[in-house]
Amino acid sequence: MSDNRNVILAIVLSIIVLFGWQFFIAGPQLQRAQQQQEIAAAQAQTDAALATPAATAVAAGTPGTVGADGTVFYADRAEAIAASDRIIIDTPDLHGSINLTGARLDDLELKQYRETVDADSPIITLLTPNGAPNAYFVEQGFVPAAGAAIAVPDGKSVWSVDGNNTQLTATTPVTLRWDNGAGLTFRRTFAVDEFYLFTVTQSVENKSTGDIALFPYARVARHGTPKVANFFIQHEGPHGVLGSNNMVSKKYTDLQKEAQVRFDDTSGWLGFSDKYWATAVMPKPGVAINALFSWKNTGSYDDYQTSFVETTPLVVAPGATATHESYLFAGAKEEPVINSYQQEYGFDRLDLLIDWGWFSFLTKPMYYLLTFLYGIIGNFGLAVMAVTVIVKALFFPLASRSYASMAAMRRVQPEMKSIQERFKDDRPAQQQAMMELYKKEKINPLSGCWPVVIQIPVFFSLYTVIFISLAMRHAPFFGWIQDLAAPDPTNIFTLFGLIPWDPTVLPFVGSFLHLGVWPVVMGITMWVQMKLNPPPPDPTQAMIFNWMPVIFTFMLGTFPAGLVIYWAWNNTLSVTQQYFIMKRHGAEVNLLGNILDAFKRKPKADEPTKP
């Protein structure tokens, strides 16, 4: 009897353990695994939906042809816009339209910015419809859970206007409607503020007999590789902030090599960044997403995409309506506007739409100072000069130490030359004699370097601000400089326009044959500054230092005029500052003599010098 009781107790305990394991451990694990499979399948479906069709026998992108997915290709942007019904967008800063085919935002222009300084120049085009050359568009939507046969709208679905509003403005949103014919009605409401933020609210009305689960997604697609400066100071290309992955930036060439870069179970936003403009799709802050950067070549153009699918589905019960909200930034990288979005909506580090560089903790304060002075002075070029003066004043103590060290080196220059002559065939003895001279005169040849090294991050930050600043774009200075963000339009190789030819089209050397007045001024100021410094004892080093101004002059020939003016002004201040500090420390500074000596013919080694 006791044995039977023990057997029954063991069976009961086993059943309790079995069901407990199933309920508390195995069940949740299976549920999580199933959910992850659904998310992965949804992501795979999204990837397929977001992919551009492969090239067929008729080359994709040829005007007048149709791609494998039914996409019609057009000769130009205007033809593509005219080919479909649209909802007009008109705000103080934006003009464009929403395509009723696909309910896509694919036509957007920035009303406050023009392509050139000419008042009649076309305004900046940001987004362009699919099928047009250099297409660039944004799309939101849903993908069904794995295995669910649910018809959802795609890029070919034709939507209709729901309601009386037929124009999207900053005060009047627009709602579009699409019925799948199987009990589901999709609505998509677009709202936009007075600047560049779109709020996209999607709703699904379920008149079917069962629950449905849909995963929201959004993507930005860009066809063709845009022309970028590809300068290390500023990133241009796919980018985003993705939770613990922090800032993710991909060059177009890098994405071509990697094809796909995924970040699962993260959060944040992603899109494309140009020098002055950007797009970004954003779920609500904190919402978990699977993000994807992708590239493929269709045979006719490169197709770049940044996209995300949310990991939690939107579940709609029978007879119910569920809504989902996401956001889109599409516009100019205006710091006050972007910062206000970050503060108001809580978007994660949205301020990184602007590439503040490695020294952002210095670059941002420098930017605020520059814009503050610009508001007072009213000329961006003069504001740059004023900031340079302020920074020079702040670093005056460090510069004084640096130049004092140079003055000490100049005082002992005759003795250094004497040592070089005495021990010209014995380098170890020469170095030993030099060290004894430094010790006797209490000179540290490296002491003048550290103050300069400390200043480098600050001046690099100022340089970065000038390079990336939207305020500098099309900002006039004086005279012939009407756009500080463009190279100096003059060219000494055309005698400032007197010779009717374009030397920049020449192969190999053409890029070096644009040399305006300001780059030449910069080179002269750099050369004069070097004539203040003690010449290096090594002839090779001396030759390199002599050629540096020439090299930098040609390098900066195609740089924005604002940067070149800044550099020339900074050199001028440095020359003035260094001259007076070295004079104050008793060093003989014969700047004019040094400059004249540079043009004298130096005697050959076997040629006797004149008495």
Side-chain angles (χ1 to χ4, degrees), residues 338-350:
I338 293 172
N339 188 58
S340 69
Y341 292 152
Q342 179 172 308
Q343 297 298 323
E344 181 178 351
Y345 293 90
F347 298 130
D348 184 16
R349 290 165 284 178
L350 188 64

Side-chain angles (χ1 to χ4, degrees), residues 180-204:
N180 77 342
L184 298 182
T185 302
F186 295 82
R187 288 179 175 83
R188 190 171 297 168
T189 300
F190 291 87
V192 63
D193 67 0
E194 63 271 29
F195 298 113
Y196 311 115
L197 186 67
F198 291 82
T199 302
V200 183
T201 304
Q202 301 185 86
S203 68
V204 182

Side-chain angles (χ1 to χ4, degrees), residues 77-91 94-111 123 125-130 136-139 166-169 174 176 190 192 198 328 330:
R77 184 174 184 273
E79 183 181 343
I81 292 173
S84 59
D85 294 330
R86 293 178 170 273
I87 296 296
I88 297 300
I89 301 172
D90 188 17
T91 74
L94 300 174
H95 178 268
S97 60
I98 299 171
N99 195 341
L100 290 181
T101 302
R104 284 174 174 165
L105 182 60
D106 63 358
D107 167 30
L108 202 62
E109 297 174 316
L110 309 183
K111 293 163 69 173
I123 60 177
T125 296
L126 184 64
L127 300 181
T128 296
N130 187 26
Y136 186 12
F137 56 90
V138 183
E139 181 179 87
T166 58
Q167 180 169 301
L168 177 60
T169 70
V174 169
L176 308 181
F190 291 87
V192 63
F198 291 82
L328 161 68

